[in-house]
């Protein structure tokens, strides 16, 4: 079947930063001589000391070491704030739209400077120094941005933990990062509901014990009365009133850490993905400009939470490095009405809108009317990120939301990659619904088979990246060996993405999803092992195996097979109890959609669970189980198939 193709419109060819020939030339230059290309692109940020060594990277086998611009010095907060004061001090840096539509405010670059300096001074007065790790557990309020930038200003390393994670998950991340300083809010507000952030922090710190964290900074969001531990906890507004709005910036080496962000893998606990300073900033700034065809005067809105990498790279750092006006939204797409996204676009004249397929799929269900009753005339570009976008959702996004006028940039990347690696460029790339299309400058994707053989031309296999780009993660915090093992051992000498992909006759890439034990639920990454270990921690559970299954809105749903302890009986009540248990252990995003009680799990004679079979059953493909002859007890499969849970 011929793929549908959308040509670049004449209007877009006129206004875009690059046309197709421009893309090809720049791409060729970038892969032919990375040193020359990135030396030139590095000039887009301000360096205290210009780098002279550009690329020094090694993907192994053996040593894996990634360094970019290694003798340069700079500061990310200086680039995102101070540098703009002369030219755009009065321009709005952040538009904040509250959960309640009556609440919004604009923060200029000058105001941002004052706020970031105050936050930095408050931290500095409490002993935060360069290299220290600071945990940020915040709702989507401007103070979250101030906190991240304040860390960058001081050279402290932030670790933002998504506000939807449980006290347990938060505690694990605080401990792994050994962070002594925590920034939070009294409560968060989402869709009219309150999120007990400070209560969760208290519970997390109880779990950790009193030794580690010595300061908790609490931003008042709802004004709820919360427990304040004398000597440890302080309200931000009170502390900020006592410090100056000026604070010196630390001169950081390009390879000094900027942040740690925990993300799920196929095994073990979430990993602390570590990103550094210079390369990350050059890469996020360059991609933000070209992928979103950003011009001065645009109002740019990325709906991601700051707790995820998209919120780091494309809500905050990339846009602010470019002096953009970036919109931060506290709420959810469906509150107070299902038109909320489109109303916000009209209210603030948003020209670039970047969201996740799961949001599109859920809004699609309500039909066109809630969209069509808004204008959306300010929109020029639509973006998609986080999971494969099915062609049906793509078409709806294009036709209904964008009125057929706005190119969609389907951007493929990962927490580990720091920025976008495969994407269309508006004005340069013909679009195919469902394809992330072509590599960004400097990115060398390859499709390999299971043995690592590089496949040429039209092909399907696993996606690897053959060489480094500046925004790449540098290590797993505190565990470089795990970094090497996870990303560079499957295909030695190459970065393994964990994704499967197809490349078509035009050289376009189609990401088919994870090929490891990582689930993508509503664009949120979740390790099957994490959900399994939460389940087996329940006293009535003896064994659990978790797989994904296709879900109309979430992309993937969580399907859990649970074997109970001897003497325990399956019941609806227990099913509910287990769902609530996992929510409590990890957070609501990890709630199993379906739980099947199973007397036994399919195992090989050596005791290894055969997930392939469990996946097929969950996907309702029991007719296609393949070879089950290596199972220790093939009869368990019959019971599993008979008692399969229905999708809803
Ligand atoms: O499977 C890919 C999917 O999301 C994974 C990365 O998840 P995370 O680190 O949480 O980062 C999400 C935001 C960058 C990838 O391995 N993914 C991300 N973007 C796309 C995608 N799959 C298909 N198409 C995309 N555009």
């Amino acid at each position: 079947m011929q793929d549908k193709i959308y040509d670049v419109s004449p209007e877009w060819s006129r206004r875009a930063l690059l046309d197709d020939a421009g893309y090809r030339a720049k791409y060729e230059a970038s892969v032919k001589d990375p040193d020359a290309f990135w030396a030139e692109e590095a000039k887009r940020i301000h360096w205290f000391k210009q780098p002279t060594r550009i690329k020094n990277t090694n993907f192994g086998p053996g040593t894996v070491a990634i360094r970019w611009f290694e003798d340069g010095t700079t500061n990310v907060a200086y680039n995102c704030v101070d540098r703009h004061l002369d030219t755009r001090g009065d321009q709005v840096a952040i538009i904040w739209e509250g959960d309640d539509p009556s609440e919004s405010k604009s923060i200029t670059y000058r105001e941002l400077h004052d706020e970031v300096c105050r936050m930095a001074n408050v931290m500095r007065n409490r002993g935060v120094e360069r290299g220290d790790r600071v945990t940020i557990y915040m709702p989507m309020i401007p103070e979250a941005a101030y906190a991240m930038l304040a860390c960058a200003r001081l050279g402290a390393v932030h670790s933002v933990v998504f506000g939807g994670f449980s006290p347990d998950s938060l505690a694990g991340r605080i401990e792994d990062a050994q962070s002594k300083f925590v920034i939070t809010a009294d409560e968060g507000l989402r869709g009219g509901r309150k999120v007990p952030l400070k209560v969760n922090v208290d519970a997390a710190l109880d779990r950790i014990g009193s030794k580690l964290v010595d300061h908790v900074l609490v931003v008042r969001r709802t004004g709820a009365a919360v427990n304040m531990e004398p000597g440890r906890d302080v309200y931000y507004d009170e502390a900020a009133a006592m410090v100056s709005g000026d604070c010196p910036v630390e001169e950081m080496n390009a390879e000094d850490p900027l942040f740690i962000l925990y993300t799920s893998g196929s095994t073990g606990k979430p990993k602390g993905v570590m990103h550094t300073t210079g390369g990350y900033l050059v890469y996020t700034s360059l991609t933000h400009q070209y992928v979103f065809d950003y011009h001065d005067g645009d109002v740019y809105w990325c709906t991601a939470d700051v707790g995820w990498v998209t919120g780091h790279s494309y809500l905050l750092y990339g846009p602010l490095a470019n002096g953009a006006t970036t919109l931060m939204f506290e709420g959810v797409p469906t509150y107070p009405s299902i038109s909320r996204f489109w109303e916000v676009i009209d209210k603030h004249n948003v020209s670039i809108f970047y969201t996740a397929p799961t949001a599109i799929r859920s809004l699609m269900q309500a039909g066109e009317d809630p969209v069509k009753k808004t204008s959306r005339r300010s929109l020029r570009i639509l973006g998609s990120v986080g999971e494969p976008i099915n062609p049906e959702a793509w078409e709806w996004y294009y036709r209904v939301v964008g009125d057929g006028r706005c190119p969609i940039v389907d951007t493929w990347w990962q927490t580990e990659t720091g920025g976008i690696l495969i994407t269309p460029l508006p004005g340069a790339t013909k679009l195919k619904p469902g394809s992330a299309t072509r590599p960004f400058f400097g990115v060398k994707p390859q499709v390999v088979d299971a043995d690592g053989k590089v496949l040429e031309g039209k092909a399907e296999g696993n996606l690897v990246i053959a060489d480094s780009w500046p925004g790449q993660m540098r290590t797993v915090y505190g565990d470089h060996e795990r970094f090497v093992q996870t990303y560079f051992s499957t295909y030695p000498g190459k970065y393994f993405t964990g994704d499967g992909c197809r490349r078509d006759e035009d050289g376009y890439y189609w990401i088919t999803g994870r090929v490891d034990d990582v689930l993508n639920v509503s664009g949120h990454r979740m390790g099957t092992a994490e959900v399994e270990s939460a389940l087996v921690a329940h006293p009535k559970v003896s064994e659990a195996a978790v797989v994904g299954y296709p879900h109309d809105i979430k992309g993937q749903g969580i399907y859990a097979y649970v074997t109970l302890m001897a003497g325990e009986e399956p019941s609806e009540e227990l099913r509910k109890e287990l769902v609530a248990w996992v929510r409590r252990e990890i957070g609501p995003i990890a709630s199993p959609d379906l739980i099947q009680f199973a007397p036994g799990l399919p195992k090989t004679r050596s005791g290894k669970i055969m997930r392939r079979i469990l996946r097929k059953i969950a996907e309702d493909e029991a007719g296609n189980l393949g070879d089950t002859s290596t199972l220790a007890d093939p009869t368990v499969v019959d019971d599993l198939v008979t008692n399969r849970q229905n999708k809803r």
Side-chain angles (χ1 to χ4, degrees):
M1 203 180 79
Q2 193 67 34
D3 292 317
K4 195 158 176 184
I5 299 185
Y6 287 87
D7 285 329
V8 175
S9 73
E11 185 210 332
W12 264 98
S13 317
R14 275 195 305 279
R15 83 169 299 278
L17 289 168
L18 276 186
D19 61 9
D20 184 49
Y23 161 77
R24 287 174 195 272
K26 210 166 154 106
Y27 180 76
E28 279 314 311
S30 73
V31 289
K32 202 164 134 222
D33 189 350
D35 277 290
F37 180 85
W38 290 109
E40 192 55 34
E41 291 303 335
K43 294 179 186 156
R44 59 188 298 116
I45 70 165
H46 178 85
W47 298 88
F48 300 131
K49 180 178 171 293
Q50 287 291 329
T52 63
R53 295 200 67 177
I54 305 303
K55 181 177 189 286
N56 179 10
T57 65
N58 189 349
F59 277 8
T63 308
V64 176
I66 295 152
R67 296 187 200 99
W68 285 89
F69 314 118
E70 63 188 306
D71 61 346
T73 64
T74 185
N75 181 287
V76 168
Y78 180 88
N79 273 282
C80 290
V81 187
D82 304 50
R83 183 167 59 122
H84 305 309
L85 292 179
D86 285 346
T87 49
R88 48 177 103 237
D90 296 322
Q91 182 200 307
V92 173
I94 299 176
I95 300 173
W96 177 74
E97 169 77 13
D99 186 51
D100 186 316
S102 67
E103 264 195 294
S104 60
K105 66 178 168 190
S106 294
I107 298 121
T108 65
Y109 274 97
R110 205 175 312 286
E111 288 165 341
L112 182 62
H113 178 261
D114 182 79
E115 299 279 7
V116 171
C117 287
R118 277 178 203 282
M119 181 75 86
N121 281 328
V122 167
M123 291 163 64
R124 207 162 56 139
N125 289 346
R126 285 164 180 75
V128 174
E129 293 176 4
R130 71 188 279 157
D132 288 351
R133 279 80 54 215
V134 172
T135 298
I136 299 176
Y137 183 66
M138 293 273 269
M140 286 284 281
I141 54 177
E143 286 80 0
Y146 308 157
M148 292 163 77
L149 290 162
C151 288
R153 192 167 195 92
L154 298 175
V157 182
H158 59 70
S159 162
V160 183
V161 178
F162 175 57
F165 278 122
S166 67
D168 234 16
S169 303
L170 175 62
R173 286 156 170 82
I174 292 173
E175 275 187 309
D176 186 84
Q178 285 292 296
S179 88
K180 293 183 293 191
F181 201 97
V182 175
I183 308 179
T184 189
D186 48 8
E187 292 178 320
L189 206 52
R190 284 184 87 236
R193 279 208 288 267
K194 293 177 172 163
V195 186
L197 296 174
K198 179 61 166 63
V199 169
N200 288 352
V201 169
D202 289 344
L205 298 190
D206 277 352
R207 214 148 301 181
I208 294 170
S210 59
K211 292 232 166 47
L212 184 57
V213 173
D214 37 45
H215 293 285
V216 179
L217 200 55
V218 183
V219 177
R220 278 188 240 252
R221 170 60 189 110
T222 62
V226 292
N227 161 56
M228 294 293 279
E229 204 65 33
R232 187 193 71 183
D233 302 353
V234 61
Y235 277 116
Y236 177 62
D237 53 325
E238 291 169 12
M242 308 214 287
V243 297
S244 124
D246 269 312
C247 171
V249 290
E250 279 285 315
E251 181 172 342
M252 305 304 290
N253 181 270
E255 283 301 336
D256 282 335
L258 176 65
F259 67 85
I260 300 166
L261 188 56
Y262 287 85
T263 194
S264 300
S266 43
T267 55
K269 287 190 305 188
K271 298 183 279 283
V273 168
M274 197 183 89
H275 284 285
T276 58
T277 300
Y280 175 79
L281 193 65
V282 168
Y283 196 76
T284 51
S285 140
L286 182 70
T287 44
H288 173 260
Q289 185 184 355
Y290 279 91
V291 173
F292 300 105
D293 194 63
Y294 185 82
H295 289 69
D296 272 344
D298 277 325
V299 175
Y300 165 88
W301 181 15
C302 164
T303 66
D305 191 282
V306 289
W308 310 114
V309 74
T310 313
H312 285 58
S313 302
Y314 298 110
L315 174 66
L316 211 59
Y317 290 122
L320 294 183
N322 291 340
T325 298
T326 185
L327 192 150
M328 180 182 215
F329 176 43
E330 185 183 33
V332 298
T334 48
Y335 177 84
S337 88
I338 194 136
S339 294
R340 184 70 189 276
F341 269 179
W342 329 121
E343 284 162 359
V344 174
I345 288 172
D346 285 353
K347 176 174 173 186
H348 298 291
N349 278 311
V350 171
S351 44
I352 303 165
F353 178 67
Y354 190 30
T355 196
T358 186
I360 303 297
R361 286 193 298 265
S362 72
L363 295 173
M364 237 170 104
Q365 297 217 314
E368 300 188 6
D369 290 349
V371 190
K372 291 297 183 191
K373 71 179 203 203
T374 61
S375 152
R376 292 156 288 108
R377 287 206 41 114
S378 54
L379 281 178
R380 286 193 306 101
I381 295 179
L382 301 172
S384 172
V385 61
E387 39 172 333
I389 180 164
N390 46 312
E392 199 193 359
W394 194 104
E395 294 282 355
W396 190 84
Y397 197 22
Y398 184 77
R399 190 173 49 77
V400 181
V401 177
D403 285 324
R405 296 182 292 110
C406 307
I408 295 180
V409 287
D410 174 0
T411 62
W412 175 84
W413 58 297
Q414 308 177 298
T415 306
E416 293 89 338
T417 69
I420 295 164
L421 294 198
I422 302 183
T423 177
L425 300 184
T429 314
K430 292 181 183 185
L431 305 174
K432 297 187 190 182
S435 170
T437 77
R438 304 188 291 196
F440 191 74
F441 312 135
V443 175
K444 290 166 89 169
Q446 288 178 342
V447 182
V448 296
D449 68 12
D451 304 322
K453 185 167 156 257
V454 177
L455 308 174
E456 303 293 341
K458 203 173 150 182
E460 181 152 5
N462 288 346
L463 179 64
V464 301
I465 313 290
D467 200 357
S468 182
W469 63 98
Q472 180 173 25
M473 77 183 279
R474 302 301 196 254
T475 194
V476 169
Y477 184 72
D479 196 351
H480 194 67
E481 190 44 39
R482 190 168 175 202
F483 175 60
V484 178
Q485 272 304 317
T486 309
Y487 303 105
F488 299 94
S489 69
T490 317
Y491 301 106
K494 290 173 184 177
Y495 170 78
F496 178 40
T497 62
D499 278 325
C501 107
R502 171 164 81 79
R503 186 174 49 220
D504 71 15
E505 56 284 358
D506 294 324
Y508 275 36
Y509 290 84
W510 301 71
I511 311 300
T512 48
R514 302 288 308 196
V515 293
D516 53 9
D517 291 320
V518 172
L519 306 178
N520 193 328
V521 181
S522 299
H524 299 318
R525 231 167 114 164
M526 191 52 49
T528 52
E530 280 171 80
V531 185
E532 287 163 4
S533 68
L535 282 166
V536 295
H538 189 282
K540 293 184 181 164
V541 174
S542 121
E543 241 187 336
V546 167
V547 297
Y549 71 96
H551 187 289
D552 288 347
I553 290 174
K554 299 180 174 186
Q556 264 187 316
I558 300 180
Y559 195 112
Y561 297 87
V562 170
T563 306
L564 296 175
M565 294 287 189
E568 298 296 344
E569 285 301 316
S571 68
E572 258 331 288
E573 220 178 327
L574 182 54
R575 205 189 295 276
K576 286 196 189 116
E577 188 180 317
L578 292 178
V579 172
W581 174 270
V582 176
R583 288 172 76 92
R584 215 167 34 240
E585 291 275 309
I586 306 176
I589 58 173
S591 303
D593 295 279
L594 296 170
I595 294 181
Q596 173 169 356
F597 293 111
L601 296 173
K603 291 185 188 165
T604 60
R605 283 181 205 101
S606 60
K608 202 168 153 332
I609 293 175
M610 285 185 82
R611 293 171 172 283
R612 179 176 57 77
I613 292 175
L614 294 176
R615 254 184 242 123
K616 288 280 179 217
I617 296 172
E619 288 166 4
D620 202 8
E621 300 237 347
N624 190 11
L625 287 185
D627 183 13
T628 54
S629 63
T630 55
L631 286 176
D633 176 9
T635 61
V636 297
V637 171
D638 299 334
D639 177 83
L640 291 172
V641 173
T642 316
N643 293 307
R644 176 181 170 272
Q645 296 295 297
N646 263 325
K647 283 195 183 170
R648 297 226 183 277

